[in-house]
Amino acid sequence: MEGGGTFSGTGNGNHIENKVVQNFQKSFVQVQNILDQNRLLIQEINQNHESKIPDNLSRNVGLIRELNNNIKRVVDLYADLSSSFAKSIESCSDGDSSAGTMRSDAKKRIRSS
């Protein structure tokens, strides 16, 4: 399922597909960056907890808040992705009935190979 086969019923379909793929890539990069940051936060929180030093333990309060905010951001990004994907599918299926046929045919070809 590379680049252009699925929605290639119309010229506009390729544009829509490319835009959807770019939005997905952008969002997934954002999610991955946040998750990488969360991994570092969790490591620091664990180190602070193990140290049992009062200043480190009190610092964990802010780190845990940051971690929670990051998790909320990831949830929001996934919600936006889901909504964007649903809208793009709607616009593709509303735009050209032959594009729907092309998608069905493409799925049949994929399954049979």
Side-chain angles (χ1 to χ4, degrees):
M1 286 194 182
E2 296 284 325
T6 308
F7 298 112
S8 59
T10 65
N12 190 33
N14 282 334
H15 175 70
I16 292 170
E17 179 185 4
N18 289 337
K19 186 175 178 183
V20 169
V21 169
Q22 287 174 354
N23 286 337
F24 270 96
Q25 288 173 338
K26 178 182 173 191
S27 294
F28 283 124
V29 166
Q30 288 176 315
V31 166
Q32 188 59 53
N33 288 338
I34 294 169
L35 294 176
D36 290 341
Q37 183 182 9
N38 284 356
R39 183 174 14 88
L40 296 174
L41 285 170
I42 291 168
Q43 287 174 350
E44 185 175 350
I45 289 166
N46 285 335
Q47 288 171 355
N48 290 343
H49 181 74
E50 290 172 2
S51 77
K52 301 198 188 305
I53 297 171
D55 286 343
N56 290 351
L57 294 173
S58 60
R59 177 165 162 67
N60 274 359
V61 174
L63 295 174
I64 291 169
R65 282 191 184 123
E66 185 178 350
L67 182 65
N68 285 335
N69 286 332
N70 286 353
I71 292 168
K72 289 175 189 174
R73 287 173 49 206
V74 168
V75 169
D76 289 342
L77 283 167
Y78 277 127
D80 291 345
L81 270 170
S82 176
S83 175
S84 174
F85 183 73
K87 287 178 185 176
S88 68
I89 294 300
E90 281 179 24
S91 69
C92 285
S93 62
D94 289 344
D96 183 10
S97 61
S98 67
T101 304
M102 295 290 280
R103 282 194 302 271
S104 296
D105 291 345
K107 287 179 185 176
K108 288 177 187 172
R109 282 192 298 266
I110 291 169
R111 287 184 195 136
S112 65
S113 57

